[in-house]
Coordinates of all heavy atoms in Angstrom, one line a residue:
M364 N 5.4 -18.8 293.1 CA 6.2 -19.9 293.8 C 5.2 -21.1 293.9 O 4.3 -20.9 294.7 CB 6.8 -19.5 295.0 CG 7.5 -20.5 295.8 SD 8.0 -19.9 297.4 CE 9.7 -19.7 297.1
P365 N 5.4 -22.2 293.3 CA 4.7 -23.4 293.4 C 4.9 -23.9 294.8 O 5.9 -23.9 295.4 CB 5.0 -24.3 292.4 CG 6.3 -23.7 291.7 CD 6.6 -22.4 292.2
T366 N 3.8 -24.7 295.2 CA 3.8 -25.2 296.7 C 3.2 -26.6 296.6 O 2.3 -26.8 295.6 CB 3.2 -24.4 297.6 OG1 3.1 -24.9 298.9 CG2 1.7 -24.1 297.3
E367 N 3.6 -27.6 297.3 CA 2.9 -28.8 297.5 C 1.7 -28.8 298.2 O 0.9 -29.7 298.3 CB 3.9 -29.8 298.1 CG 5.2 -30.0 297.2 CD 6.2 -31.0 298.0 OE1 5.8 -31.6 299.0 OE2 7.3 -31.1 297.5
H368 N 1.5 -27.8 299.1 CA 0.3 -27.7 300.0 C -0.9 -27.1 299.4 O -0.8 -26.2 298.5 CB 0.7 -26.8 301.2 CG 1.9 -27.2 301.9 ND1 1.8 -28.4 302.7 CD2 3.1 -26.6 302.1 CE1 3.1 -28.4 303.3 NE2 3.9 -27.5 302.9
P369 N -2.0 -27.9 299.5 CA -3.3 -27.3 298.9 C -3.6 -25.9 299.5 O -3.2 -25.5 300.6 CB -4.3 -28.3 299.4 CG -3.6 -29.3 300.2 CD -2.3 -28.9 300.5
R370 N -4.3 -25.2 298.5 CA -4.7 -23.9 299.0 C -6.2 -23.7 299.1 O -6.9 -24.4 298.4 CB -4.2 -22.9 297.9 CG -2.7 -22.8 297.9 CD -2.3 -21.9 296.7 NE -0.7 -21.7 296.8 CZ 0.0 -20.8 297.2 NH1 -0.7 -19.7 297.7 NH2 1.2 -20.8 297.2
L371 N -6.7 -22.8 299.9 CA -8.2 -22.6 300.0 C -8.5 -21.2 299.8 O -7.7 -20.3 300.1 CB -8.5 -23.0 301.4 CG -8.4 -24.5 301.9 CD1 -8.7 -24.6 303.5 CD2 -9.2 -25.3 301.0
M372 N -9.7 -20.9 299.5 CA -10.2 -19.6 299.5 C -11.3 -19.5 300.6 O -12.1 -20.4 300.6 CB -10.8 -19.2 298.1 CG -11.3 -17.8 298.1 SD -12.2 -17.3 296.5 CE -10.7 -17.3 295.5
V373 N -11.1 -18.6 301.4 CA -12.0 -18.4 302.6 C -12.8 -17.1 302.5 O -12.1 -16.1 302.3 CB -11.2 -18.6 303.9 CG1 -12.1 -18.4 305.1 CG2 -10.5 -19.9 303.9
V374 N -14.0 -17.0 302.8 CA -14.7 -15.9 302.7 C -15.0 -15.7 304.3 O -15.7 -16.5 305.0 CB -16.0 -15.9 301.9 CG1 -16.9 -14.7 302.1 CG2 -15.8 -16.3 300.5
L375 N -14.6 -14.4 304.7 CA -14.8 -14.0 306.1 C -15.7 -12.8 306.3 O -15.8 -12.0 305.5 CB -13.5 -13.8 306.7 CG -12.5 -14.9 306.8 CD1 -11.1 -14.4 307.3 CD2 -12.8 -16.0 307.6
E376 N -16.4 -12.7 307.5 CA -17.1 -11.5 307.8 C -16.1 -10.5 308.0 O -14.9 -10.9 308.5 CB -17.9 -11.7 309.2 CG -19.0 -12.7 308.9 CD -18.6 -14.2 309.2 OE1 -17.4 -14.3 309.6 OE2 -19.5 -14.9 309.1
P377 N -16.3 -9.2 307.7 CA -15.4 -8.1 307.9 C -14.7 -8.0 309.3 O -13.5 -7.9 309.5 CB -16.1 -6.9 307.5 CG -17.1 -7.3 306.7 CD -17.6 -8.7 307.2
R378 N -15.5 -8.3 310.4 CA -15.1 -8.2 311.7 C -13.9 -9.3 312.0 O -12.9 -9.1 312.6 CB -16.3 -8.3 312.7 CG -15.9 -8.0 314.1 CD -17.0 -8.0 314.9 NE -16.9 -9.3 315.9 CZ -17.8 -9.9 316.4 NH1 -19.1 -9.4 316.4 NH2 -17.7 -11.0 317.1
L379 N -14.2 -10.5 311.5 CA -13.4 -11.7 311.7 C -12.1 -11.4 310.8 O -11.0 -11.7 311.3 CB -14.0 -12.9 311.3 CG -13.3 -14.2 311.6 CD1 -12.9 -14.3 313.0 CD2 -14.2 -15.4 311.1
Y380 N -12.3 -11.0 309.7 CA -11.1 -10.5 308.9 C -10.1 -9.6 309.5 O -9.0 -9.7 309.6 CB -11.5 -10.0 307.5 CG -10.4 -9.6 306.6 CD1 -9.5 -10.4 305.9 CD2 -10.1 -8.3 306.7 CE1 -8.5 -10.0 305.2 CE2 -8.9 -7.6 305.8 CZ -8.2 -8.6 305.2 OH -7.1 -8.2 304.5
R381 N -10.8 -8.4 310.0 CA -10.0 -7.5 310.7 C -9.2 -8.0 312.0 O -8.0 -7.7 312.2 CB -10.9 -6.2 311.2 CG -11.2 -5.4 310.1 CD -11.9 -4.0 310.6 NE -13.1 -4.4 311.5 CZ -14.4 -4.5 311.0 NH1 -14.6 -4.6 309.9 NH2 -15.3 -4.7 312.0
W382 N -9.9 -9.0 312.7 CA -9.2 -9.6 313.8 C -8.1 -10.3 313.5 O -7.0 -10.3 314.0 CB -10.2 -10.4 314.6 CG -9.6 -11.2 315.8 CD1 -9.2 -10.7 316.9 CD2 -9.4 -12.5 315.8 NE1 -8.7 -11.7 317.7 CE2 -8.7 -12.8 317.2 CE3 -9.6 -13.6 314.8 CZ2 -8.5 -14.1 317.4 CZ3 -9.2 -14.9 315.2 CH2 -8.6 -15.1 316.4
I383 N -8.3 -11.1 312.3 CA -7.2 -12.2 312.0 C -6.0 -11.2 311.4 O -4.9 -11.5 311.6 CB -7.6 -13.1 311.0 CG1 -8.6 -14.1 311.6 CG2 -6.4 -13.7 310.2 CD1 -9.2 -14.9 310.6
K384 N -6.3 -10.1 310.7 CA -5.4 -9.2 310.1 C -4.5 -8.6 311.3 O -3.3 -8.5 311.2 CB -5.9 -8.2 309.2 CG -4.9 -7.3 308.6 CD -5.6 -6.4 307.6 CE -4.6 -5.6 306.9 NZ -5.1 -4.7 305.9
T385 N -5.2 -8.1 312.3 CA -4.6 -7.6 313.5 C -3.6 -8.5 314.1 O -2.4 -8.0 314.5 CB -5.5 -7.0 314.5 OG1 -6.5 -5.9 313.8 CG2 -4.9 -6.4 315.6
C386 N -4.1 -9.7 314.3 CA -3.3 -10.7 315.0 C -2.0 -11.1 314.2 O -0.9 -11.3 314.7 CB -4.1 -12.1 315.1 SG -5.3 -12.0 316.4
S387 N -2.3 -11.1 312.9 CA -1.0 -11.4 312.1 C 0.0 -10.3 312.1 O 1.1 -10.6 312.1 CB -1.5 -11.7 310.6 OG -2.0 -10.5 309.9
I388 N -0.4 -9.1 312.1 CA 0.4 -7.9 312.2 C 1.1 -8.0 313.5 O 2.4 -7.8 313.5 CB -0.3 -6.6 312.0 CG1 -0.9 -6.5 310.5 CG2 0.5 -5.5 312.3 CD1 -1.7 -5.4 310.2
N389 N 0.4 -8.2 314.5 CA 1.0 -8.1 315.9 C 2.1 -9.3 316.0 O 3.1 -9.2 316.8 CB 0.1 -8.4 317.0 CG -0.8 -7.1 317.2 OD1 -0.5 -6.0 316.6 ND2 -2.1 -7.2 317.7
E390 N 1.9 -10.5 315.4 CA 2.7 -11.6 315.5 C 3.7 -11.7 314.3 O 4.4 -12.7 314.2 CB 1.9 -12.9 315.6 CG 1.0 -13.0 316.8 CD 0.1 -14.1 316.9 OE1 0.4 -15.2 316.3 OE2 -1.1 -14.0 317.4
H391 N 3.8 -10.7 313.5 CA 4.6 -10.6 312.3 C 4.5 -11.9 311.4 O 5.5 -12.5 311.0 CB 6.1 -10.5 312.8 CG 6.3 -9.3 313.7 ND1 6.3 -8.0 313.2 CD2 6.5 -9.2 315.0 CE1 6.4 -7.2 314.3 NE2 6.6 -7.9 315.3
L392 N 3.2 -12.2 311.1 CA 3.0 -13.4 310.3 C 2.2 -12.8 309.1 O 1.5 -11.8 309.2 CB 2.2 -14.4 311.0 CG 2.8 -15.1 312.3 CD1 1.9 -16.0 312.9 CD2 4.0 -16.0 311.7
S393 N 2.2 -13.6 308.0 CA 1.2 -13.4 306.9 C -0.1 -13.9 307.4 O -0.4 -14.5 308.3 CB 1.6 -14.2 305.7 OG 1.5 -15.5 305.9
L394 N -1.2 -13.2 306.7 CA -2.6 -13.6 306.9 C -2.7 -15.2 306.8 O -3.4 -15.7 307.6 CB -3.5 -12.9 305.9 CG -3.8 -11.5 306.3 CD1 -4.5 -10.9 305.0 CD2 -4.6 -11.3 307.6
S395 N -2.1 -15.6 305.7 CA -2.2 -17.2 305.5 C -1.5 -18.0 306.6 O -2.2 -18.9 307.0 CB -1.5 -17.4 304.1 OG -1.5 -18.8 303.8
A396 N -0.4 -17.5 307.0 CA 0.2 -18.3 308.1 C -0.5 -18.1 309.4 O -0.7 -19.2 310.2 CB 1.7 -17.7 308.4
K397 N -1.2 -17.1 309.7 CA -1.9 -16.8 311.0 C -3.2 -17.7 310.8 O -3.6 -18.4 311.8 CB -2.3 -15.4 311.2 CG -3.1 -15.2 312.5 CD -2.4 -15.6 313.7 CE -3.1 -15.7 314.8 NZ -2.4 -16.2 316.0
L398 N -3.9 -17.7 309.6 CA -5.1 -18.5 309.5 C -4.6 -20.0 309.7 O -5.4 -20.7 310.3 CB -5.7 -18.2 308.2 CG -7.2 -18.7 308.0 CD1 -8.0 -18.3 309.2 CD2 -7.8 -18.2 306.6
R399 N -3.6 -20.4 309.0 CA -3.3 -21.9 309.2 C -3.0 -22.2 310.6 O -3.5 -23.3 311.1 CB -1.9 -22.0 308.5 CG -1.3 -23.4 308.4 CD 0.2 -23.4 308.3 NE 0.8 -22.7 309.3 CZ 2.0 -21.9 309.1 NH1 2.5 -21.9 307.9 NH2 2.4 -21.3 310.0
D400 N -2.4 -21.3 311.4 CA -2.2 -21.7 312.9 C -3.4 -21.6 313.5 O -3.6 -22.5 314.5 CB -1.2 -20.6 313.4 CG 0.1 -20.5 312.9 OD1 0.5 -21.4 312.2 OD2 0.9 -19.6 313.2
L401 N -4.4 -20.9 313.2 CA -5.7 -20.9 313.9 C -6.5 -22.1 313.5 O -7.1 -22.7 314.5 CB -6.5 -19.5 313.5 CG -6.0 -18.3 314.1 CD1 -6.9 -17.1 313.6 CD2 -6.2 -18.2 315.7
V402 N -6.4 -22.5 312.4 CA -7.1 -23.7 311.9 C -6.5 -24.9 312.6 O -7.0 -25.9 313.2 CB -7.1 -24.0 310.3 CG1 -7.5 -25.3 310.0 CG2 -7.9 -22.9 309.7
R403 N -5.0 -25.0 312.8 CA -4.3 -26.0 313.5 C -4.8 -26.1 314.9 O -5.1 -27.2 315.4 CB -2.8 -25.8 313.3 CG -2.1 -27.0 313.8 CD -0.6 -26.8 313.6 NE -0.2 -26.9 312.3 CZ 0.7 -26.1 311.7 NH1 1.2 -25.2 312.3 NH2 0.9 -26.3 310.4
E404 N -4.9 -25.0 315.5 CA -5.4 -25.0 317.0 C -6.8 -25.6 317.1 O -7.1 -26.2 317.9 CB -5.3 -23.4 317.5 CG -3.9 -22.9 317.8 CD -3.9 -21.6 318.2 OE1 -4.9 -21.1 318.9 OE2 -2.8 -20.9 318.0
A405 N -7.6 -25.1 316.2 CA -9.0 -25.5 316.2 C -9.0 -26.9 316.0 O -9.8 -27.8 316.6 CB -9.8 -24.8 315.2
Y406 N -8.2 -27.6 315.1 CA -8.1 -29.0 314.8 C -7.7 -29.7 316.0 O -8.3 -30.7 316.4 CB -7.2 -29.2 313.6 CG -6.9 -30.7 313.5 CD1 -7.9 -31.6 312.9 CD2 -5.7 -31.3 313.9 CE1 -7.6 -32.9 312.8 CE2 -5.5 -32.6 313.7 CZ -6.4 -33.4 313.1 OH -6.2 -34.7 313.0
E407 N -6.6 -29.2 316.6 CA -6.1 -30.0 317.9 C -7.2 -29.8 319.1 O -7.4 -30.8 319.8 CB -4.9 -29.3 318.4 CG -3.8 -29.5 317.4 CD -2.5 -28.8 317.6 OE1 -2.5 -27.9 318.7 OE2 -1.4 -28.9 317.0
S408 N -7.9 -28.9 319.1 CA -9.0 -28.7 320.2 C -10.0 -29.7 319.8 O -10.6 -30.4 320.7 CB -9.5 -27.3 320.1 OG -10.5 -27.2 321.1
Y409 N -10.5 -29.8 318.6 CA -11.6 -30.7 318.2 C -10.9 -32.2 318.5 O -11.8 -32.9 319.0 CB -11.8 -30.5 316.7 CG -12.8 -31.5 316.1 CD1 -14.1 -31.1 316.2 CD2 -12.4 -32.7 315.4 CE1 -15.1 -32.1 315.7 CE2 -13.3 -33.6 315.0 CZ -14.7 -33.3 315.1 OH -15.6 -34.1 314.6
E410 N -9.8 -32.4 318.1 CA -9.3 -33.7 318.3 C -9.2 -34.0 319.9 O -9.6 -35.2 320.3 CB -7.9 -33.8 317.8 CG -7.2 -35.2 317.7 CD -5.9 -35.2 317.0 OE1 -5.0 -34.3 317.4 OE2 -5.8 -36.0 316.1
D411 N -8.7 -33.2 320.7 CA -8.8 -33.3 322.2 C -10.3 -33.6 322.7 O -10.4 -34.5 323.5 CB -8.3 -32.2 322.8 CG -6.7 -31.9 322.7 OD1 -6.1 -32.9 322.2 OD2 -6.3 -30.8 323.0
R412 N -11.2 -33.0 322.2 CA -12.4 -33.1 322.6 C -13.0 -34.6 322.2 O -13.7 -35.4 323.0 CB -13.5 -32.1 322.1 CG -13.3 -30.8 322.9 CD -14.5 -29.8 322.5 NE -14.7 -29.6 321.1 CZ -14.1 -28.8 320.4 NH1 -13.2 -28.0 320.7 NH2 -14.5 -28.8 319.0
Y413 N -12.6 -35.0 321.0 CA -13.0 -36.2 320.5 C -12.4 -37.4 321.3 O -13.2 -38.4 321.8 CB -12.5 -36.5 319.0 CG -12.8 -37.8 318.5 CD1 -14.0 -38.2 318.0 CD2 -11.8 -38.7 318.6 CE1 -14.3 -39.5 317.6 CE2 -12.0 -40.1 318.1 CZ -13.2 -40.5 317.7 OH -13.5 -41.8 317.3
W414 N -11.2 -37.3 321.5 CA -10.5 -38.4 322.4 C -10.9 -38.3 323.9 O -11.0 -39.3 324.5 CB -9.0 -38.3 322.2 CG -8.5 -38.6 320.8 CD1 -8.0 -38.0 319.9 CD2 -8.8 -40.1 320.3 NE1 -7.8 -38.7 318.8 CE2 -8.2 -40.0 319.0 CE3 -9.3 -41.3 320.7 CZ2 -8.3 -41.1 318.1 CZ3 -9.5 -42.4 319.9 CH2 -9.0 -42.3 318.5
A415 N -11.2 -37.3 324.5 CA -11.7 -37.1 325.8 C -13.0 -37.8 325.8 O -13.2 -38.5 326.8 CB -11.9 -35.7 326.2
K416 N -13.9 -37.7 324.8 CA -15.2 -38.3 324.8 C -15.0 -39.9 324.7 O -15.6 -40.6 325.4 CB -16.1 -37.7 323.7 CG -17.5 -38.2 323.7 CD -18.3 -37.5 322.5 CE -19.6 -38.0 322.5 NZ -20.5 -37.3 321.3
A417 N -14.1 -40.2 323.8 CA -13.9 -41.7 323.6 C -13.4 -42.3 324.9 O -13.7 -43.4 325.2 CB -13.0 -41.9 322.4
G418 N -12.4 -41.6 325.4 CA -11.9 -42.0 326.7 C -12.9 -42.2 327.9 O -12.9 -43.1 328.7
E419 N -13.8 -41.3 328.0 CA -14.8 -41.2 328.9 C -15.6 -42.5 328.8 O -16.1 -43.2 329.7 CB -15.6 -39.9 329.0 CG -16.7 -39.9 330.0 CD -16.1 -40.0 331.5 OE1 -15.0 -39.7 331.6 OE2 -16.9 -40.4 332.3
K420 N -16.0 -42.7 327.4 CA -16.8 -43.8 327.2 C -16.2 -45.1 327.5 O -16.9 -46.0 328.1 CB -17.2 -43.9 325.6 CG -18.1 -45.0 325.2 CD -18.4 -44.8 323.7 CE -19.3 -46.1 323.2 NZ -19.6 -45.8 321.8
R421 N -14.8 -45.3 327.2 CA -14.0 -46.4 327.6 C -14.0 -46.5 329.1 O -14.1 -47.7 329.7 CB -12.7 -46.4 327.1 CG -12.8 -46.8 325.5 CD -11.4 -46.9 325.0 NE -10.8 -48.1 325.4 CZ -9.6 -48.6 325.3 NH1 -8.8 -47.9 324.6 NH2 -9.2 -49.7 325.8
R422 N -13.8 -45.4 329.8 CA -13.7 -45.5 331.3 C -14.9 -45.9 331.9 O -15.0 -46.7 332.9 CB -13.4 -44.1 331.8 CG -13.0 -44.1 333.3 CD -12.8 -42.7 333.8 NE -14.0 -42.0 333.8 CZ -14.9 -42.1 334.7 NH1 -14.8 -42.9 335.7 NH2 -16.0 -41.3 334.8
T423 N -16.2 -45.5 331.4 CA -17.4 -46.0 332.0 C -17.7 -47.4 331.7 O -18.4 -48.0 332.5 CB -18.5 -45.1 331.6 OG1 -18.7 -45.1 330.1 CG2 -18.4 -43.6 332.0
S424 N -17.3 -48.0 330.7 CA -17.4 -49.4 330.3 C -16.3 -50.3 330.7 O -16.5 -51.5 330.6 CB -17.6 -49.6 328.7 OG -16.5 -49.2 328.1
F425 N -15.3 -49.7 331.5 CA -14.2 -50.6 331.9 C -14.5 -51.5 333.0 O -15.2 -51.1 334.0 CB -13.0 -49.8 332.2 CG -11.8 -50.4 332.9 CD1 -10.9 -51.2 332.0 CD2 -11.6 -50.7 334.2 CE1 -9.9 -51.9 332.5 CE2 -10.5 -51.2 334.7 CZ -9.7 -51.9 333.8
T426 N -14.1 -52.7 333.0 CA -14.3 -53.6 334.1 C -13.1 -54.4 334.4 O -12.4 -54.9 333.3 CB -15.4 -54.8 333.9 OG1 -15.1 -55.5 332.7 CG2 -16.7 -54.1 333.6
R427 N -12.7 -54.5 335.7 CA -11.4 -55.0 336.0 C -11.3 -56.6 335.6 O -10.3 -57.1 335.2 CB -11.2 -55.0 337.5 CG -10.8 -53.7 338.0 CD -9.3 -53.5 338.2 NE -9.0 -52.2 338.6 CZ -7.8 -51.6 338.2 NH1 -7.1 -52.2 337.3 NH2 -7.5 -50.4 338.5
K428 N -12.5 -57.2 335.7 CA -12.6 -58.7 335.3 C -12.2 -59.0 333.8 O -11.6 -60.1 333.5 CB -13.9 -59.2 335.6 CG -14.3 -59.3 337.0 CD -15.8 -59.9 337.3 CE -16.1 -59.9 338.9 NZ -17.3 -60.3 339.0
Q429 N -12.4 -58.0 333.0 CA -12.2 -58.2 331.5 C -10.8 -57.7 331.2 O -10.2 -58.0 330.0 CB -13.2 -57.5 330.7 CG -14.6 -58.0 330.8 CD -15.5 -57.3 329.9 OE1 -15.4 -56.0 329.7 NE2 -16.6 -57.9 329.5
A430 N -10.2 -56.9 332.1 CA -8.7 -56.3 331.8 C -7.8 -57.4 331.9 O -7.8 -58.4 332.6 CB -8.5 -55.3 332.8
L431 N -6.7 -57.2 330.9 CA -5.6 -58.1 331.0 C -4.4 -57.4 331.6 O -4.2 -56.2 331.5 CB -5.2 -58.3 329.5 CG -6.2 -59.1 328.6 CD1 -5.6 -59.3 327.2 CD2 -6.3 -60.5 329.2
P432 N -3.6 -58.1 332.3 CA -2.3 -57.7 332.9 C -1.5 -57.2 331.6 O -1.5 -57.7 330.6 CB -1.7 -58.8 333.6 CG -2.8 -59.6 333.9 CD -3.8 -59.6 332.8
H433 N -0.5 -56.3 332.0 CA 0.3 -55.7 330.9 C 1.1 -56.8 330.1 O 1.0 -56.8 328.8 CB 1.4 -54.9 331.6 CG 2.3 -54.1 330.5 ND1 1.9 -53.0 330.0 CD2 3.5 -54.3 330.3 CE1 2.7 -52.4 329.1 NE2 3.9 -53.2 329.3
K434 N 1.7 -57.7 330.7 CA 2.5 -58.9 330.0 C 1.5 -59.6 329.2 O 1.9 -60.0 327.9 CB 3.3 -59.6 330.9 CG 4.5 -58.8 331.4 CD 5.2 -59.8 332.4 CE 6.5 -59.1 332.9 NZ 7.2 -59.8 333.8
E435 N 0.4 -60.0 329.7 CA -0.6 -60.9 328.9 C -1.1 -60.2 327.6 O -1.2 -60.7 326.6 CB -1.8 -61.2 329.8 CG -1.4 -62.4 330.7 CD -2.7 -62.8 331.5 OE1 -3.8 -62.9 330.8 OE2 -2.6 -62.9 332.7
F436 N -1.3 -58.9 327.8 CA -1.8 -58.1 326.7 C -0.8 -58.1 325.5 O -1.1 -58.4 324.4 CB -2.1 -56.6 327.1 CG -2.3 -55.7 325.8 CD1 -3.6 -55.7 325.3 CD2 -1.3 -54.8 325.3 CE1 -3.8 -54.9 324.1 CE2 -1.5 -54.1 324.2 CZ -2.8 -54.1 323.7
W437 N 0.4 -57.8 325.8 CA 1.5 -57.7 324.9 C 1.6 -59.2 324.2 O 2.0 -59.3 323.0 CB 2.9 -57.2 325.4 CG 2.6 -55.7 325.5 CD1 2.7 -55.1 326.8 CD2 2.4 -54.8 324.4 NE1 2.4 -53.6 326.4 CE2 2.2 -53.4 325.2 CE3 2.3 -54.7 323.1 CZ2 1.8 -52.3 324.5 CZ3 2.1 -53.6 322.5 CH2 1.9 -52.3 323.1
K438 N 1.6 -60.1 325.0 CA 1.8 -61.6 324.5 C 0.6 -61.8 323.5 O 0.8 -62.5 322.5 CB 1.8 -62.5 325.6 CG 2.0 -63.9 325.2 CD 1.8 -65.0 326.4 CE 2.9 -64.8 327.3 NZ 3.0 -65.8 328.4
K439 N -0.6 -61.4 323.9 CA -1.8 -61.6 323.1 C -1.7 -60.8 321.7 O -2.0 -61.4 320.6 CB -3.1 -61.2 323.7 CG -4.3 -61.4 323.1 CD -5.6 -61.0 323.9 CE -6.7 -61.3 323.1 NZ -8.0 -61.1 323.8
V440 N -0.9 -59.7 321.6 CA -1.0 -59.0 320.4 C 0.3 -59.4 319.6 O 0.6 -59.0 318.5 CB -1.0 -57.4 320.5 CG1 -2.3 -56.8 321.1 CG2 0.2 -56.9 321.5
G441 N 1.1 -60.3 320.2 CA 2.3 -60.8 319.6 C 3.5 -59.9 319.6 O 4.4 -60.0 318.7
L442 N 3.6 -59.0 320.5 CA 4.8 -58.2 320.6 C 5.6 -58.5 321.9 O 5.1 -58.9 322.8 CB 4.4 -56.8 320.5 CG 3.8 -56.3 319.2 CD1 3.4 -54.9 319.3 CD2 4.8 -56.5 318.1

C-alpha cells in the first residue's frame, strides 16, 4: 500500500527493541505507530525545552522602558 509519508529504517539495540515491542503490544499499536508516537513525544519535548530556553533569554533581557503597550504594538505591525 503506497503512502505519502516518508519511511525510515531504524537500527535498535535488542533491549530497546523489546521495550518498544512490548509497549506496542500493550497499547494495541503496530511497531511503526508506537515508534512514530515516541518520536513525536521526543520532538514535542525538544521543542518545549527550546522555547523555554528562548523565553528565559527574552525574560532576562526584558525592560519595561523598551516595551510597547498592546495597542501601540498592533498599530506598529499594521494590524
Side-chain angles (χ1 to χ4, degrees):
M364 171 188 261
T366 179
E367 295 178 13
H368 302 293
R370 294 175 181 258
L371 298 174
M372 181 182 289
V373 179
V374 178
L375 301 170
E376 296 86 6
R378 192 177 103 195
L379 189 54
Y380 173 81
R381 286 191 305 271
W382 175 73
I383 293 172
K384 186 173 182 179
T385 300
C386 290
S387 69
I388 291 168
N389 291 341
E390 296 176 27
H391 307 288
L392 296 171
S393 67
L394 283 169
S395 179
K397 183 59 187 174
L398 194 55
R399 179 207 55 218
D400 293 348
L401 289 169
V402 170
R403 185 179 291 139
E404 287 177 29
Y406 171 76
E407 289 170 358
S408 177
Y409 179 85
E410 190 176 48
D411 289 346
R412 287 191 311 272
Y413 173 84
W414 288 116
K416 187 176 179 180
E419 183 61 25
K420 184 177 178 182
R421 287 190 71 186
R422 188 185 69 77
T423 58
S424 66
F425 177 78
T426 60
R427 288 256 177 225
K428 290 180 182 180
Q429 293 177 333
L431 294 175
H433 187 77
K434 287 182 181 180
E435 282 185 44
F436 170 80
W437 289 111
K438 187 184 287 185
K439 185 175 182 175
V440 296
L442 295 176

